[in-house]
C-alpha cells in the first residue's frame, strides 16, 4: 500500500474503528483480485472517459478516472477538480442478489461520503451501485434510503461482450464522434481501441495524459477535437473569458499556424499572430467591452505587423 493508503487506513481506524479498517483493506484486496479480466468494469471505465471528454467544456487536465481506488466504494472513481467532487462506482455484473442494494451497500456509502469529504477534502461525494441487470436497476431505486438519495444512486450499464459491441452504445458513439469529428465506424472503433489500450497501461491518469498517450501512439491521430483543446490552452485567460462572454455572437474561434482567427455570426473575420494577442496591455484588455471592440482589437494587432514591415 502507498503512504496515502496507509493514512486512509489510519483515518478509518480512528473514525470508524479497527474492524472497519480491516474491512477496508479486505475490500481493496478482493477488488484487486477481481479486477483481473474484469471486462464489465473495464468497459464502463472506457465509457466514462469518453462521456467526460465529450462534454463541450471539458478541461482534460482537471479529470481523473481511476480503477480500483482505495475505498469502500472502490471499483471506479471519477475525480473532478473543476467542482472538487468524487464520484465512486461499485460494479455488480449479475442478475442475482449480489446486485441488490443492501444495508451493507448503504453502510459503505456512508463511510465513503465521510472519507471523501473529510479525508480527501472533496466538496461533493456521489456514489453509484453500477448494475448490468435492468430489473435490478429498477428494483434498487426503491431500496436506496431517503437519507442517502442526495449522494447515492443505482446506475444501469449493460454487459457488453466485446469492444465492437460497446462501440454501438448510442451515448458512447455520440461522444466519440465529438472527439474525432468523424462518423465512420472504423474511425470510431479505432479511437475506442486506442483509449482502451492507454487505460490498461495505466488506470490512474488525467484525461489529458490519456489522450496525449493516444495521440503519440496513433497513426493517424483521430482526436481532432483534442487538438482544439490543446490550442485553446495557448490562449490567455482574459481572451477565453471574452470569448465566453460574447459566445452568442461568435461563429468560431481557433488558432491556425500561430494565428488567432475570429469569425462572427454576422460574417466578419479578423486574425492576428498569437504573440501579438499575448502582448495586449491591461488598458487594451479593459477596453474590450463587447464583440465589436474585440474585433477591432484583433484588426489593430494585425495592422501593427503591417505597419512594422513598411
Amino acid at each position: 500500500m502507498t503512504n496515502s493508503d496507509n493514512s486512509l487506513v489510519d483515518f478509518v481506524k480512528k473514525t470508524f474503528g479497527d474492524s472497519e479498517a480491516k474491512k477496508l483493506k479486505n475490500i481493496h484486496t478482493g477488488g484487486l483480485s477481481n479486477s483481473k479480466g474484469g471486462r464489465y468494469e473495464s468497459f464502463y471505465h472506457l465509457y466514462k472517459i469518453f462521456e467526460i471528454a465529450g462534454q463541450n467544456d471539458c478541461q482534460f487536465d482537471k479529470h481523473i478516472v481511476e480503477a480500483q481506488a482505495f475505498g469502500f466504494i472502490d471499483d471506479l472513481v471519477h475525480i473532478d477538480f473543476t467542482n472538487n467532487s468524487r464520484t465512486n462506482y461499485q460494479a455488480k455484473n449479475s442478475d442475482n442478489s449480489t446486485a441488490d442494494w443492501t444495508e451493507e451497500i448503504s453502510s459503505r456509502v456512508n463511510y465513503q461520503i465521510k472519507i471523501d469529504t473529510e479525508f480527501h477534502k472533496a466538496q461533493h461525494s456521489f456514489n453509484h451501485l453500477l448494475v448490468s441487470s435492468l430489473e435490478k436497476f429498477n428494483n434498487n431505486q426503491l431500496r436506496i434510503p431517503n437519507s442517502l438519495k442526495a449522494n447515492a444512486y443505482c446506475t444501469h450499464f449493460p454487459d457488453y461482450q466485446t469492444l465492437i459491441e460497446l462501440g454501438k452504445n448510442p451515448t458512447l458513439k455520440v461522444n466519440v464522434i465529438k472527439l474525432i469529428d468523424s462518423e465512420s465506424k472504423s474511425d470510431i472503433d479505432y479511437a475506442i481501441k486506442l483509449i482502451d489500450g492507454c487505460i490498461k497501461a495505466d488506470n490512474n491518469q488525467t484525461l489529458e495524459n490519456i489522450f496525449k498517450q493516444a495521440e503519440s501512439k496513433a497513426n493517424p491521430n483521430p482526436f481532432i477535437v483534442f487538438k482544439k483543446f490543446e490550442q485553446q490552452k495557448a490562449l490567455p485567460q482574459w481572451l477565453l473569458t471574452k470569448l465566453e462572454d460574447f459566445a452568442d455572437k461568435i461563429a468560431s474561434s481557433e488558432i491556425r499556424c500561430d494565428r488567432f482567427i475570429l469569425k462572427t455570426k454576422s460574417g466578419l473575420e479578423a486574425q492576428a499572430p498569437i504573440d501579438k494577442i499575448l502582448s495586449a496591455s491591461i488598458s487594451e484588455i479593459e477596453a474590450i467591452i463587447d464583440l465589436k471592440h474585440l474585433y477591432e482589437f484583433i484588426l489593430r494587432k494585425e495592422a501593427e505587423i503591417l505597419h512594422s514591415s513598411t
Side-chain angles (χ1 to χ4, degrees), residues 110-174:
N110 274 315
Y111 292 152
Q112 191 63 50
I113 292 170
K114 203 166 187 68
I115 287 171
D116 287 347
T117 56
E118 296 186 15
F119 180 79
H120 293 300
K121 307 301 182 185
Q123 187 173 352
H124 308 285
S125 173
F126 306 110
N127 300 274
H128 296 249
L129 179 62
L130 184 70
V131 298
S132 57
S133 165
L134 190 56
E135 180 181 356
K136 292 296 181 182
F137 165 74
N138 290 325
N139 291 341
N140 284 336
Q141 305 307 314
L142 302 175
R143 293 173 177 264
I144 303 172
N146 289 331
S147 60
L148 286 178
K149 286 189 174 178
N151 303 88
Y153 315 87
C154 183
T155 300
H156 175 250
F157 184 71
D159 178 24
Y160 296 103
Q161 301 298 307
T162 65
L163 278 177
I164 299 297
E165 187 180 342
L166 173 65
K168 296 177 182 178
N169 177 287
T171 303
L172 175 63
K173 188 175 178 180
V174 167

Side-chain angles (χ1 to χ4, degrees), residues 59-125:
Q59 299 179 50
F60 287 73
D61 58 336
K62 302 295 185 185
H63 294 270
I64 293 175
V65 183
E66 178 184 354
Q68 295 307 316
F70 198 51
F72 283 96
I73 307 296
D74 69 334
D75 283 327
L76 203 69
V77 57
H78 168 210
I79 305 170
D80 183 350
F81 294 104
T82 65
N83 62 14
N84 192 19
S85 70
R86 296 175 70 93
T87 304
N88 311 287
Y89 297 87
Q90 196 69 44
K92 298 295 181 182
N93 181 22
S94 173
D95 57 4
N96 61 33
S97 60
T98 60
D100 288 341
W101 189 286
T102 62
E103 289 185 9
E104 169 68 13
I105 292 292
S106 293
S107 177
R108 285 168 64 169
V109 167
N110 274 315
Y111 292 152
Q112 191 63 50
I113 292 170
K114 203 166 187 68
I115 287 171
D116 287 347
T117 56
E118 296 186 15
F119 180 79
H120 293 300
K121 307 301 182 185
Q123 187 173 352
H124 308 285
S125 173

Side-chain angles (χ1 to χ4, degrees), residues 8-25:
L8 178 53
V9 171
D10 291 341
F11 172 83
V12 170
K13 186 182 296 184
K14 181 179 179 180
T15 308
F16 306 120
D18 288 343
S19 63
E20 300 310 314
K22 290 177 182 177
K23 181 187 291 185
L24 174 65
K25 289 191 282 188

